[in-house]
Amino acid sequence: MLDPDANLGRRAWVACPRCPEDDCPTCQRGASCERHWRYLLGTEAHWVFLQCPFCLYRWWHDTQFGLGHQKSA
C-alpha cells in the first residue's frame, strides 16, 4: 500500500534494497533519471525514510551526511 505521506514533490534518488537495479546510464552518470527515484516520506538527522513506488517497500536510509556526521577538527 502506498504510504499516505507519499508525494511526487518529495523524492530521493536512492537504490531500493528490494528491486534489482539495471545498468541505467543516467544513474551511472550521477544524474537523476525519471525511473529510479523513491518517495521521500520523512527525515531525521542524517536518516531519510523512503518508499519505492514499484515494490512499495519502505525503509530508513543513512545518508552519511548532516547532523552527527561532521568531521572533527
Side-chain angles (χ1 to χ4, degrees), residues 51-73:
Q51 183 172 33
C52 177
F54 303 106
C55 72
L56 302 179
Y57 179 64
R58 293 182 299 179
W59 75 101
W60 283 97
H61 173 77
D62 185 353
T63 65
Q64 301 288 315
F65 179 79
L67 185 64
H69 281 280
Q70 287 85 10
K71 291 183 180 180
S72 57

Side-chain angles (χ1 to χ4, degrees), residues 5 10 39-44 47-50 59-61:
D5 290 330
R10 294 185 46 163
Y39 288 110
L40 175 61
L41 303 177
T43 61
E44 186 174 316
W47 292 88
V48 291
F49 190 50
L50 304 166
W59 75 101
W60 283 97
H61 173 77

Side-chain angles (χ1 to χ4, degrees), residues 7-53:
N7 179 329
L8 279 175
R10 294 185 46 163
R11 297 183 285 174
W13 280 259
V14 175
C16 175
R18 290 204 175 165
C19 288
E21 295 291 327
D22 56 355
D23 293 328
C24 175
T26 305
C27 289
Q28 287 178 350
R29 286 194 322 268
S32 301
C33 79
E34 289 299 316
R35 177 165 167 75
H36 297 114
W37 56 269
R38 310 299 173 225
Y39 288 110
L40 175 61
L41 303 177
T43 61
E44 186 174 316
H46 53 88
W47 292 88
V48 291
F49 190 50
L50 304 166
Q51 183 172 33
C52 177

